[in-house]
Amino acid sequence: MIKKPLKLLIGWILFIIGLIIAPLPMPIGQIIALVGLSVLVSESETVRIGVQKLRRKLPGLCRQLKRVRPHMPRFLKNLIDTTDPLHLGE
């Protein structure tokens, strides 16, 4: 009952913190933002559809994600697969 809102809150906090510290020289901000986005996509259909629409508008980003997918950890592979714009109509 409280699990989903708590996960959404944690996901948003991680995503926002990741975006804030993303300009730092080390890639820690990007990693934190991706972990937060992964949590948000897994818990919110609205966020998932939003990311799918963004990827449809930016085909270059979509191609890059598909190219680097084999080298990513499992949670990022799931994020890439789940937000594939080909699944937008489902």
Side-chain angles (χ1 to χ4, degrees), residues 53-70:
K53 288 181 180 180
L54 180 67
R55 285 185 61 186
R56 182 173 280 171
K57 288 180 184 179
L58 302 171
L61 172 67
C62 197
R63 281 191 303 273
Q64 274 188 317
L65 288 173
K66 287 181 180 181
R67 191 173 345 147
V68 298
R69 184 194 175 282

Side-chain angles (χ1 to χ4, degrees), residues 15 58 61 80 87:
F15 184 69
L58 302 171
L61 172 67
I80 292 169
H87 300 112

Side-chain angles (χ1 to χ4, degrees), residues 40-56:
L40 290 171
V41 165
S42 70
E43 293 297 321
S44 173
E45 187 172 344
T46 305
V47 174
R48 180 181 53 82
I49 291 171
V51 174
Q52 287 173 329
K53 288 181 180 180
L54 180 67
R55 285 185 61 186
R56 182 173 280 171

Side-chain angles (χ1 to χ4, degrees), residues 8-82:
L8 286 171
L9 178 66
I10 290 170
W12 279 113
I13 289 171
L14 288 172
F15 184 69
I16 291 169
I17 289 172
L19 291 179
I20 291 170
I21 64 173
L24 293 177
M26 298 192 55
I28 294 171
Q30 291 91 342
I31 294 168
I32 292 171
L34 287 172
V35 170
L37 186 61
S38 178
V39 171
L40 290 171
V41 165
S42 70
E43 293 297 321
S44 173
E45 187 172 344
T46 305
V47 174
R48 180 181 53 82
I49 291 171
V51 174
Q52 287 173 329
K53 288 181 180 180
L54 180 67
R55 285 185 61 186
R56 182 173 280 171
K57 288 180 184 179
L58 302 171
L61 172 67
C62 197
R63 281 191 303 273
Q64 274 188 317
L65 288 173
K66 287 181 180 181
R67 191 173 345 147
V68 298
R69 184 194 175 282
H71 309 290
M72 294 289 133
R74 184 179 302 153
F75 80 95
L76 286 178
K77 287 180 182 178
N78 290 338
L79 177 65
I80 292 169
D81 293 342
T82 305

